[in-house]
Amino acid sequence: MNITRRHLIGLGGGAAALLTMPAIIRAAEPFDIVMQGGKNGGHVWFDPIGLHIQPGDSVRWINMDKGNSHTATAYHPSLFDHPRRMPRNTKPWDSDYLLPGESFVFTFSKPGIYDYYCIPHEAAGMVGRIVVGSARNADWLRSGTGDKGVPEAALNMFPGIDAILGMGRVSIDGTETQQGGAAHAHS
């Protein structure tokens, strides 16, 4: 095979074109959940309290409460002896204490229903629910075993799965919320 000058120029032009093309494949931005608190610190919450995402999506919890530190901790026996309120054989997460302005990101790989809480504010009802993909993998929900030891105030705060699947994002007052900051398309 004879390589001509025309072939070399063509190959060089192709390489230059590849270098100048914008990245077609980019990592998706995480979905944000904000940790909030009232001015006197007496009322604390996650916003949104319910979120629907797809497997492979990431969630970023951001502490925007200037008066408190918070955690985003999965309900799982390996974390502070709490009941499992997430699919079997999935990795639990714990953000540890986040000071105001700090954040934590976790990627959800398996479909299912995941409940989480804030360690110092669980008894005040600071909890949240994430539905990943469909509502499958909810054996803990059907059996009722996930309620043992969870404070009544927390149990009363979890949004319904149908509301999360229907609205995509549920705020603490039960309304759909808008994603703050970067635009996110909910699928």
Side-chain angles (χ1 to χ4, degrees):
M1 175 176 165
N2 290 335
I3 297 177
T4 65
R5 184 174 174 191
R6 174 179 251 164
H7 285 105
L8 289 174
I9 291 172
L11 290 173
L18 286 174
L19 292 174
T20 59
M21 286 178 56
I24 295 172
I25 300 172
R26 294 184 292 180
E29 288 287 320
F31 290 83
D32 289 338
I33 295 177
V34 177
M35 300 158 156
Q36 297 277 10
K39 289 182 181 177
N40 64 3
H43 181 57
V44 290
W45 67 95
F46 292 105
D47 186 27
I49 192 171
L51 180 65
H52 182 210
I53 61 174
Q54 297 301 316
D57 284 343
S58 298
V59 172
R60 176 176 45 211
W61 286 269
I62 306 168
N63 185 359
M64 299 299 288
D65 182 357
K66 294 179 182 176
N68 284 305
S69 60
H70 296 286
T71 74
T73 305
Y75 276 98
H76 193 274
S78 68
L79 298 173
F80 311 104
D81 203 27
H82 274 61
R84 183 177 57 83
R85 295 178 64 94
M86 58 187 289
R88 289 186 189 280
N89 302 320
T90 52
K91 180 182 171 187
W93 73 93
D94 177 31
S95 68
D96 204 355
Y97 284 87
L98 299 175
L99 298 174
E102 292 183 329
S103 64
F104 170 79
V105 177
F106 184 81
T107 300
F108 293 83
S109 59
K110 294 185 177 180
I113 301 167
Y114 296 76
D115 286 352
Y116 63 94
Y117 63 102
C118 173
I119 292 172
H121 302 113
E122 179 190 22
M126 189 172 181
V127 296
R129 176 172 281 164
I130 298 171
V131 179
V132 180
S134 68
R136 292 179 293 159
N137 294 331
D139 62 318
W140 61 265
L141 191 60
R142 287 186 295 274
S143 69
T145 57
D147 293 353
K148 293 180 182 173
V150 178
E152 191 71 26
L155 291 173
N156 291 333
M157 292 304 295
F158 290 107
I161 295 164
D162 289 341
I164 295 171
L165 292 174
M167 294 192 286
R169 304 171 55 85
V170 177
S171 70
I172 197 156
D173 63 1
T175 60
E176 183 177 7
T177 61
Q178 297 292 319
Q179 178 76 21
H184 289 271
H186 178 73
S187 57

